Amino acid sequence: MRTRCLAAWCALVCAAGTAGAGWIVEEIGGNETDADRPTLAISPGGAAVVAWEEEAGGVWTLFVDAYAGDGIIEYPTECQGSGHDPVAAWTWRGFLLVWIDGQNIQYRYGDNFGWGDSPQTIPTGLDLTHVKLDLQGCAEPGWDVGWLAYTVQVGIVGQEGSYGQDWFVRVHKGGHDAPETVATCENEWGPAQIASYPSQDPHALQPLPRYYYIPEFARIAQLTGQQEGGWEPAALLPHQWYGTIFDVRGRDNGSQCLLALEPQPWCPCNQVQFNEQDAQGVWSDATVIMPSHDFNDWPHSPRVAWGAGDEVHAFWVQTTSNHEMVPGRTHLEYHRRVGGVWQDESEVFEAYERRSLGLHVAMDVTASGDPLFAWTRLDTLISGPQPRRVWLARPQSTVAAPALDGGGLALTAWPNPGRSRIAFAGTAPAGSDAVLAVYDLAGRRVASPPLSADGPGRFAAMWDGRDAAGREVPAGMYLMRLTATGGTVARRVVLAR
């Protein structure tokens, strides 16, 4: 394990909302060949897994404590074997990593520090060379762990008889279901996306999957899962002009946020537009949030995520060229919606502009709405060309966590169930004497995991499944109770041996 503070301490200022706050930016990896297609997932408390593919080098992963004070704690990198296009998500079982290997889809689980089970295989019998996966994790305990969406092109693009097949895979605690065809797209195709949607059943333990795909030119359709299985009838989003590259994420109240490129014009240029579905199911008009930089502006790899409250984070990489098609800048774009207003905060990444930036980025947020970003960059300044490596960034001063439960207290536990240890993160009023305790179902106090500060009003803790005397406690359900000035909040956790 190692702690890496700023690779370059940025004297950069976030334009709004975090005035005066610096950023932590660092290079990770140490790979010998070019890294590409970074992905990441972050736990509610700020632990993260970062994954990427390497040229002829398979899929690699790195666990980090992303919000460890003024730095980022890295654990050793690990090669997952051959494959490409990794995706990662946080689930109630911990981290879930999925990637493509030949005609198979591979997946495995991990906790905050490393991988547990061996990889498992989902055979497809299809050519997955050019397939891109999207993964949504189920963070609420229950049967489902994650949902996979992917689109397979049948035939040759542009030739008669070619079409796209949209597939869905349900990963659950017992393994996985067989891949299921959910739609066929004869006129247009693009990588599908998966999001979560709340169940209308008040007794449901988990949300439902919502599948987004391209049924025809410039249209996006959605399929919402049903509690008993199957899908509700497909519905087209009401606004027509969408491109085939987009990203969408849901939240607990049913709201959905969608970041998409417009349909591709004849030139190498495009725009990024944002749409939102509110909790009542009404989609907003498209809002273009991309500023103009040159004669041709060409965004790539749009990523969107919900923050705290109505906050939304949008992130992508952009290339430019003049009217004679001479390449210009390649840079990272970061826009944040606060109070319903979009603000361009891309200047925090200006020091990392370069034509050698990779064309794929990643982003995720903590339960408190704190973002974590990843991209790839080729460094040509140190003794000649170096392999393209993965970079991470996050604000040094984080966004305050939303008040949950009573008295401004919040408590999150993961993985839940946990096999031998369970991590906790939360918030308590600054200056209060917070105490975390573990109780069995008979009301007996079992242990008191020590709290460690994780920023103003924030804390983290770890329970190793032992009582105060150091003895392993039996498997079963336990109650975690956080007490501080302002009240008490409790969470049920399951210890699985």
Side-chain angles (χ1 to χ4, degrees):
M1 180 182 73
R2 57 178 175 165
T3 301
R4 296 188 60 186
C5 294
L6 216 45
W9 279 97
C10 301
L12 301 174
V13 175
C14 197
T18 55
W23 279 66
I24 292 179
V25 183
E26 72 169 58
E27 180 188 62
I28 65 171
N31 43 290
E32 299 300 325
T33 58
D34 283 348
D36 199 6
R37 297 192 177 279
T39 185
L40 65 89
I42 192 165
S43 75
V49 63
V50 186
W52 62 91
E53 66 178 55
E54 291 188 15
E55 183 179 354
V59 171
W60 289 75
T61 58
L62 172 71
F63 285 88
V64 300
D65 284 336
Y67 281 85
D70 289 334
I72 295 177
I73 299 176
E74 296 182 22
Y75 297 88
T77 57
E78 180 180 351
C79 181
Q80 302 300 320
S82 61
H84 56 94
D85 288 277
V87 288
W90 174 257
T91 78
W92 63 269
R93 284 196 61 178
F95 290 111
L96 174 61
L97 175 71
V98 183
W99 70 97
I100 298 170
D101 185 9
Q103 293 186 337
N104 299 322
I105 297 173
Q106 306 282 357
Y107 70 95
R108 71 184 310 184
Y109 300 103
D111 58 19
N112 292 341
F113 310 102
W115 301 108
D117 298 338
S118 300
Q120 301 182 56
T121 300
I122 304 173
T124 70
L126 300 171
D127 181 3
L128 303 180
T129 304
H130 303 293
V131 171
K132 302 297 182 290
L133 299 171
D134 191 47
L135 173 66
Q136 173 68 46
C138 296
E140 296 298 323
W143 182 258
D144 291 327
V145 173
W147 305 301
L148 276 171
Y150 59 100
T151 304
V152 177
Q153 178 66 22
V154 179
I156 301 176
V157 178
Q159 292 191 5
E160 184 177 354
S162 68
Y163 60 94
Q165 281 185 339
D166 286 290
W167 293 79
F168 172 77
V169 179
R170 188 186 304 273
V171 181
H172 48 74
K173 63 183 180 181
H176 64 270
D177 291 346
E180 168 192 0
T181 304
V182 297
T184 299
C185 312
E186 297 183 359
N187 301 318
E188 188 65 81
W189 76 287
Q193 296 286 306
I194 198 77
S196 62
Y197 191 75
S199 172
Q200 302 305 306
D201 182 354
H203 302 292
L205 298 177
Q206 289 190 328
L208 300 169
R210 176 170 275 188
Y211 194 104
Y212 291 84
Y213 64 101
I214 306 289
E216 58 187 72
F217 177 74
R219 302 305 300 268
I220 293 179
Q222 64 184 29
L223 285 167
T224 303
Q226 296 177 323
Q227 194 66 43
E228 64 277 8
W231 301 87
E232 295 180 359
L236 287 172
L237 272 60
H239 307 286
Q240 182 172 351
W241 297 107
Y242 297 100
T244 58
I245 305 300
F246 63 100
D247 190 34
V248 61
R249 287 295 175 262
R251 68 188 318 178
D252 293 346
N253 66 356
S255 300
Q256 309 279 292
C257 58
L258 185 149
L259 195 67
L261 304 188
E262 292 183 339
Q264 182 63 48
W266 66 268
C267 64
C269 56
N270 213 315
Q271 294 192 97
V272 174
Q273 61 184 20
F274 173 82
N275 290 67
E276 177 184 4
Q277 184 193 59
D278 63 22
Q280 287 70 48
V282 178
W283 282 93
S284 67
D285 292 331
T287 301
V288 175
I289 64 173
M290 189 189 85
S292 176
H293 295 280
D294 209 332
F295 188 82
N296 293 312
D297 292 295
W298 197 354
H300 305 265
S301 188
R303 295 290 179 262
V304 68
W306 290 104
D310 75 335
E311 187 177 65
V312 179
H313 302 273
F315 187 52
W316 67 90
V317 63
Q318 187 157 316
T319 59
T320 67
S321 63
N322 63 18
H323 64 285
E324 296 179 346
M325 306 301 293
V326 176
R329 346 168 22 203
T330 298
H331 61 280
L332 299 168
E333 289 275 347
Y334 170 45
H335 297 248
R336 188 165 64 102
R337 191 185 72 176
V338 183
V341 179
W342 282 100
Q343 301 173 1
D344 185 350
E345 302 183 1
S346 305
E347 73 274 10
V348 300
F349 298 110
E350 284 182 356
Y352 304 93
E353 292 181 7
R354 190 160 297 179
R355 293 184 186 179
S356 56
L357 281 173
L359 296 183
H360 299 93
V361 299
M363 175 179 63
D364 201 2
V365 298
T366 69
S368 301
D370 305 325
L372 180 66
F373 306 90
W375 67 92
T376 59
R377 178 172 178 250
L378 183 66
D379 190 347
T380 60
L381 298 181
I382 303 176
S383 66
Q386 303 293 317
R388 179 177 288 114
R389 295 212 168 106
V390 179
W391 288 69
L392 290 179
R394 55 100 164 163
Q396 181 181 358
S397 298
T398 61
V399 179
L404 302 176
D405 301 295
L409 298 176
L411 181 62
T412 303
W414 73 94
N416 188 13
R419 294 178 183 173
S420 59
R421 55 189 176 185
I422 298 177
F424 301 89
T427 60
S432 62
D433 294 325
V435 176
L436 181 65
V438 183
Y439 295 84
D440 62 19
L441 295 185
R444 295 183 291 260
R445 186 163 178 160
V446 175
S448 300
L451 302 179
S452 60
D454 196 23
R458 296 161 54 98
F459 69 86
M462 177 71 70
W463 181 42
D464 61 3
R466 298 176 181 272
D467 63 16
R471 298 166 297 201
E472 288 190 349
V473 301
M477 183 176 292
Y478 293 84
L479 187 70
M480 313 300 299
R481 180 175 295 164
L482 173 68
T483 303
T485 303
T488 299
V489 61
R491 290 286 179 267
R492 287 191 178 124
V493 297
V494 175
L495 188 63
R497 296 295 188 185

